[in-house]
Every structure is written in structure tokens, then in C-alpha cells.
Amino acid sequence: MAKEFDVAVIGAGAAGMMCAATAGKRGKRVVLLDHADKLAEKIRISGGGRCNFTNINAGPANFLSENPHFAKSALSRFTPHDFLAMVKKHRIGFHEKHKGQLFCDDSAEQIIQMLKDECSDGNVHWRMPAKVDALQQNGAGYILQTDEGEEIHAASIVVATGGLSIPKIGATDFGYRIAKQFGLELVEPRPALVPLTFDTEEWAPFVPLSGVSLEVDVETGSLKGRNPSGARFREDLLFTHRGLSGPAILQISSFWQPGTPITINLLPEMDLAQTLIEGKGTLKKQLGNLLSQWLPSRLAEGLLQVQGLDPEARIADMKDDTLRKLGRAVNQWTITPNGSEGYRKAEVTRGGVDTRELFQQSMECKNVPGLYFIGEAVDVTGWLGGYNFQWAWASGVAAGLAI
Ligand code: FDA
């Protein structure tokens, strides 16, 4: 006998659990399905195991989407303070780390347990592990078939299956396939918040710098020196064997367009060329020692080597033009990635179900009544720093209240 529910939520991640709990507590009969063996693995590994569960400053400006206004409604109706109230109600200790990012004091497991408890309060039924093999419209509702051979009837369906990042812990293209099945437009998915890679030959001189880390300014660039996306971040950069990583690069990777350069200011507090030219009479040290005062010494050595400059040279003996060229290499390092580390390493997927297909108050499809998309499956992508979970909670609540 088929089981009847008001709503079936597919995907028991951040958005799915929040939605199921919200709808359940309103008295809806909810079933939550997930194909993974282990619950909410992305929450578990997030924030280095401590889950950066929101950002106290989160607002629509911290998200990328083809329609930047779409997220406003859900974000304003369930704010970081609302999530924090839930965290406090469950007596989970937390702290602010950096730029409004809130983390658990102890473990991300506490957030998973909190969401499970909220689902219990809403009498949510679980099917896990259970994969949805097929979804069909059935009059005004839907029929789901699971790989366990169960048939579930539901008046509404919420697709909360996330994006493509980290396939080894269960990411699938299920959400996009369902969107296509119902004729919805997709914004092309791409890895985001991801390390960037460079051509092996071009990168060879920087390989010895692997492990060097420093605070930089980074922006998307163009060869004409413009910043086409307008995005700019001051964060830490990390040199790796294959390219660049660290928060600065993860942030800019979401804005980066393949084939275009990025521009990095390795010494954002100083105009290097001006300092060196003006200091010719007073800065007595050798060039290598001088640069090492301001930059990590391995980086200073590497940069001089790439520029073909002698670290023992005295700046008083150097041409202004040479110092200007060195200044540009430090303050305006423009370099073109050949790609990224891809979904294997990306924290999120940008793109997804086109927001023009959805009502912003409810996340319901405009042309497919009773079908909802929430969380990362939708074309709303947050910056690094707790914003993506805030979108998962807010969009989950929006659908959970509307169903
Ligand atoms: P999510 O991916 O959480 O859940 C989708 C669920 O659907 C999964 O449980 C999956 O098993 C299930 N599913 C998929 N296909 C299915 C199918 N066919 N049938 C049934 N179930 C299916 N964000 C942030 O704000 N702060 C942070 O600290 C971090 N840290 C972080 C670290 C790492 C390593 C990663 C990879 C990501 C982050 N993020 C983050 C991003 C954050 O984890 C992400 O944006 C949210 O988990 C998205 O929530 P969703 O519920 O939309 O998808």
C-alpha cells in the first residue's frame, strides 16, 4: 500500500532538514528521504568540523545569482539571528571567528543533532538510505518510487539535493535532472569556492612556494586592468603545488570567468615601487633583505628569481623602471588560471535551477504547482563564511512555511 504524505522532502542536508522540521511543526505530514548512509555529511565536515553555521552580517549582497534580488525575500524572513535563536534554544556553544562567521565551540555534530531534534518535534518520517528512482505527477500531487520498492504519494515535493560538489560524500545531479524533467531552465552549474590551477610550465617557478601563506587583496581582472565583476576580497592566500588556494582564492573563484586573469596585490598596505624609489637614499639594505621585511622570505626570494633580479643588489644602484616593474609584480600580480580543482574540492556549486522559475516567497515552481526547490540546488551561491548555510536555512524555512 502506498504511503500518503502532505510533503516529501528529497535530500536530508541542511536545507532539507530545516524545511521538513518547519513544515512538520505546522502539522504537515512530512517524509524526508536521503540516499546517503550517513546523515548530513556536508554539515559534519564543514568549518573544519565545527560548522560555520551562519554569518551574522549575511545579506543579499553576499550572494551570487543571475537574479541578485531573488534571495532577498527568504533571507529577510529567516535571518542569522533567527538561526542563532535556535542554536541558543538547543544550548549549543558558539563563537565568532572572523568577519561575522559563527562556529560551534565543540562540533558540527551538534547542529546535525539540533536539526534531527527539530524534525522529531515536527513528527517527520524518515527514509534513509533511500534513493528516489522516479518522480511523477499524479493528479494534483506526486508519486515517488524509491529503490527499496516503496511508493510514496505526496501533495508536494521539495527537492533539496544540493549541488555537485564533493561527489564522494553523496552529491548528485538529481535536482537538475528533476528540473529538466519538468521543463525548468537551469543556469549552468560550475564549481565555486574552489582552488584555482595554472598551466604546469607557467606555474613551475612558483612550485617551491607551496605552503607560503599571506594576506592579500584579490580581484577578478582583465588584461586592460579592469575588475569586470567588481568583486574584491582581502583574505589569506595559500600557494599550493598546482596553483593558488586559501580563502582569498576560494572567494574570487566564484566570480572568476574561465579564460580571464585574476589580479592579486601581495602587499596591500604598501605601494612597493614608490617606497623603493623614494627610499633609494635611506633604505640601505640589499633588495632581498628589504623585501623579506614585508613579505614571507620564501616569497620574496621566489619573486626576485622570477623577475631575474639579484637579491644582493642595492636599490640605490637600481633603475627606477626596474623597481616599478617589481612593484607591479607585487602590487598588481596578474595571472590567468587554466581551471580549478573542480567539484572534487569545490565547497559549493554555482548555478542551478534558474530563479526565474520559482516564486521567491515560497521557492515553489511558478509553472509546476506543488514542486519546490531549495538550498544549493537553486542558482543562489553564497560567499565563503557561513553564507551558504544561511541560504540553506532561509530557503528551507521559506518552503516549509509555504507548503
Ligand atoms: P546538502 O549538500 O547539504 O544536502 C543534499 C542532500 O541530498 C545530501 O544529504 C545528499 O546525500 C542528498 N542527495 C543528493 N542526491 C540525492 C538523491 N538522488 N536521492 C536522495 N538524496 C540525495 N557552508 C557554510 O555556510 N559554512 C561552512 O562552514 C561550510 N563548509 C563547507 C565545507 C565543505 C568541505 C563543503 C563541501 C561545503 C561547505 N559549505 C559550507 C557549503 C554547505 O555545506 C552547502 O552549501 C550546504 O550544505 C547546502 O545545503 P543543501 O541542503 O542545499 O545541500
Side-chain angles (χ1 to χ4, degrees):
M1 257 258 299
K3 293 264 171 47
E4 302 275 344
F5 292 94
D6 294 319
V7 49
V9 180
I10 309 172
M17 280 201 278
M18 194 61 152
C19 178
T22 306
K25 285 189 281 181
R26 287 176 52 235
K28 299 287 166 192
R29 289 168 303 155
V30 182
V31 61
L32 181 53
L33 303 98
D34 201 296
H35 69 159
D37 293 320
K38 221 166 160 194
L39 179 63
E41 195 62 356
K42 265 195 197 162
I43 299 181
R44 187 170 289 106
I45 62 172
S46 68
R50 292 229 163 101
C51 187
N52 175 195
F53 55 78
T54 192
N55 192 299
I56 207 69
N57 306 317
N62 306 114
F63 293 85
L64 292 85
S65 171
E66 296 249 304
N67 175 4
H69 300 292
F70 179 82
K72 281 183 182 167
S73 173
L75 290 172
S76 66
R77 281 182 301 135
F78 190 81
T79 67
H81 292 282
D82 294 321
F83 191 76
L84 206 48
M86 191 183 273
V87 167
K88 287 178 183 167
K89 183 180 101 185
H90 288 259
R91 299 178 188 283
I92 298 172
F94 64 91
H95 59 278
E96 182 177 337
K97 211 167 175 182
H98 170 67
K99 297 185 178 173
Q101 300 169 6
L102 301 188
F103 286 76
C104 296
D105 287 344
D106 295 332
S107 161
E109 294 281 357
Q110 294 173 293
I111 299 292
I112 301 175
Q113 189 58 46
M114 175 186 90
L115 293 166
K116 267 174 81 179
D117 291 346
E118 290 284 322
C119 285
S120 298
D121 289 349
N123 295 315
V124 170
H125 295 253
W126 288 83
R127 296 290 187 277
M128 200 181 148
K131 194 164 148 248
V132 178
D133 279 340
L135 172 65
Q136 284 145 23
Q137 267 176 316
N138 173 36
Y142 294 86
I143 299 181
L144 283 182
Q145 308 278 352
T146 74
D147 60 349
E148 301 285 299
E150 190 182 14
E151 189 173 292
I152 292 175
H153 290 201
S156 301
I157 298 289
V158 180
V159 180
T161 47
L164 297 171
S165 321
I166 326 272
K168 76 168 190 249
I169 58 166
T172 69
D173 65 352
F174 181 83
Y176 310 142
R177 275 191 276 129
I178 294 297
K180 281 187 197 148
Q181 181 188 331
F182 287 92
L184 307 178
E185 291 292 327
L186 284 180
V187 175
E188 194 196 344
R190 269 210 283 131
L193 298 182
V194 64
L196 296 174
T197 55
F198 296 87
D199 175 71
T200 318
E201 226 169 276
E202 195 186 351
W203 196 247
F206 300 102
V207 171
L209 301 183
S210 175
V212 168
S213 165
L214 73 162
E215 192 180 66
V216 302
D217 276 350
V218 61
E219 56 189 56
T220 52
S222 77
L223 289 173
K224 292 187 179 134
R226 283 193 222 106
N227 176 9
S229 75
R232 168 194 281 233
F233 294 93
R234 178 165 299 183
E235 294 277 6
D236 285 349
L237 167 116
L238 174 70
F239 284 83
T240 71
H241 276 105
R242 284 163 50 86
L244 294 171
S245 185
I249 294 303
L250 300 191
Q251 295 283 31
I252 212 68
S253 71
S254 300
F255 296 85
W256 174 70
Q257 296 294 334
T260 65
I262 55 171
T263 301
I264 300 168
N265 186 344
L266 295 165
L267 205 47
E269 298 290 349
M270 181 188 285
D271 181 333
L272 181 67
Q274 192 184 357
T275 307
L276 294 178
I277 291 167
E278 287 176 3
K280 270 184 158 181
T282 49
L283 297 170
K284 298 289 180 210
K285 287 187 178 163
Q286 291 168 331
L287 185 59
N289 290 339
L290 205 51
L291 268 192
S292 301
Q293 281 180 5
W294 302 315
L295 291 169
S297 43
R298 264 165 75 201
L299 176 59
E301 279 165 32
L303 280 170
L304 292 179
Q305 203 176 353
V306 170
Q307 293 295 312
L309 294 173
D310 176 4
E312 295 186 358
R314 293 184 185 279
I315 57 165
D317 305 331
M318 295 175 72
K319 288 192 182 135
D320 287 0
D321 263 1
T322 310
L323 296 177
R324 275 194 207 97
K325 193 168 159 243
L326 177 62
R328 277 197 300 278
V330 169
N331 290 125
Q332 249 180 295
W333 182 29
T334 300
I335 184 160
T336 303
N338 69 352
S340 79
E341 293 283 2
Y343 291 117
R344 203 171 49 88
K345 293 258 178 91
E347 282 203 9
V348 289
T349 304
R350 65 169 292 189
V353 175
D354 192 322
T355 57
R356 279 168 290 209
E357 302 283 6
L358 308 174
F359 291 116
Q360 58 180 358
Q361 293 82 3
S362 62
M363 314 298 295
E364 187 179 14
C365 297
K366 290 176 181 166
N367 297 322
V368 193
L371 181 63
Y372 298 72
F373 286 85
I374 58 173
E376 206 181 306
V378 178
D379 172 36
V380 174
T381 306
W383 293 3
L384 185 76
Y387 303 99
N388 283 295
F389 278 137
Q390 187 56 37
W391 170 246
W393 318 135
S395 58
V397 168
L401 289 176
I403 290 161

